[in-house]
């Protein structure tokens, strides 16, 4: 199995036992559920696309980047995130969508992504409640960081 699409299923927790067994999973869509957390230690070595948009996530585990080493597209818009784990900055992301969250400042990980020469895509952080940006040379009024 390479694709799991479980959006709009009213899930309250990630089916960790099932997902941890699928080593060749490439795409996981858990958008439009009721997830309030992402499990620490959930290792998915082949996952390329993760969509956690429109859930109730407030924080992500610090080791998320190490557990998803092949991740390229990350969608987490419309949650309640106040920050992102630094481990995500080690990934070679093409796109990262984190708009409509509760960031007070542009997440530090986004600064590394926006200035990273190997990143081909973009990061979207518009419509958050951001008050400041740490050294954001590529921050635009529209709220989108681009490589």
């Amino acid at each position: 199995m390479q694709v799991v699409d479980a959006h709009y299923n009213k899930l309250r927790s990630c089916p960790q036992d099932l997902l941890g067994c699928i080593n060749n999973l490439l795409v996981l869509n858990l958008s439009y559920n009721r997830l309030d957390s992402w499990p620490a230690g959930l290792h998915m070595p082949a996952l390329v696309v993760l969509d956690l948009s429109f859930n109730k996530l407030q924080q992500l585990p610090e080791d998320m980047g190490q557990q998803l080493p092949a991740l390229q597209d990350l969608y987490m818009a419309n949650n309640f995130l106040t920050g992102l784990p630094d481990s995500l900055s080690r990934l070679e992301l093409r796109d990262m969508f984190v708009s409509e969250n509760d960031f007070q400042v542009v997440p530090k990980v986004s600064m590394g992504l926006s200035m990273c020469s190997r990143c081909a895509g973009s990061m979207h952080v518009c419509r958050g409640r951001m008050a400041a940006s740490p050294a954001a040379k590529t921050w635009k009024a529209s709220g989108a960081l681009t490589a």
Side-chain angles (χ1 to χ4, degrees):
M1 183 178 336
Q2 294 184 321
V3 176
V4 171
D5 189 347
H7 71 290
Y8 284 108
N9 276 289
K10 299 180 184 177
L11 296 175
R12 293 187 183 275
S13 63
C14 179
Q16 186 173 358
D17 293 339
L18 170 67
L19 296 175
C21 297
I22 308 172
N23 289 328
N24 61 343
L25 186 63
L26 298 176
V27 177
L28 177 58
N29 183 355
L30 294 173
S31 63
Y32 294 94
N33 280 291
R34 298 176 182 167
L35 302 176
D36 59 8
S37 65
W38 180 256
L42 179 57
H43 188 64
M44 292 187 285
L47 194 69
V48 175
V49 178
L50 177 60
D51 191 344
L52 297 172
S53 299
F54 295 90
N55 276 287
K56 297 180 178 190
L57 296 170
Q58 294 180 20
Q59 64 182 25
L60 300 169
E62 191 53 47
D63 70 344
M64 190 173 192
Q66 288 100 346
Q67 300 302 327
L68 307 172
L71 195 65
Q72 294 179 10
D73 298 324
L74 182 58
Y75 305 101
M76 296 182 298
N78 293 83
N79 279 287
F80 300 98
L81 296 169
T82 57
L84 297 174
D86 290 339
S87 64
L88 291 177
S89 65
R90 297 181 190 104
L91 300 175
E92 294 186 28
L93 294 172
R94 289 184 299 206
D95 289 306
M96 186 158 102
F97 292 81
V98 292
S99 61
E100 302 290 340
N101 276 287
D102 290 338
F103 301 121
Q104 296 297 311
V105 297
V106 177
K108 279 197 259 182
V109 65
S110 69
M111 302 321 299
L113 289 171
S114 65
M115 296 175 200
C116 176
S117 61
R118 69 176 187 245
C119 299
S122 60
M123 176 176 175
H124 302 270
V125 290
C126 59
R127 295 191 192 198
R129 293 182 298 202
M130 287 180 261
S133 168
K137 293 180 182 174
T138 58
W139 178 252
K140 297 180 181 176
S142 68
L145 288 171
T146 56

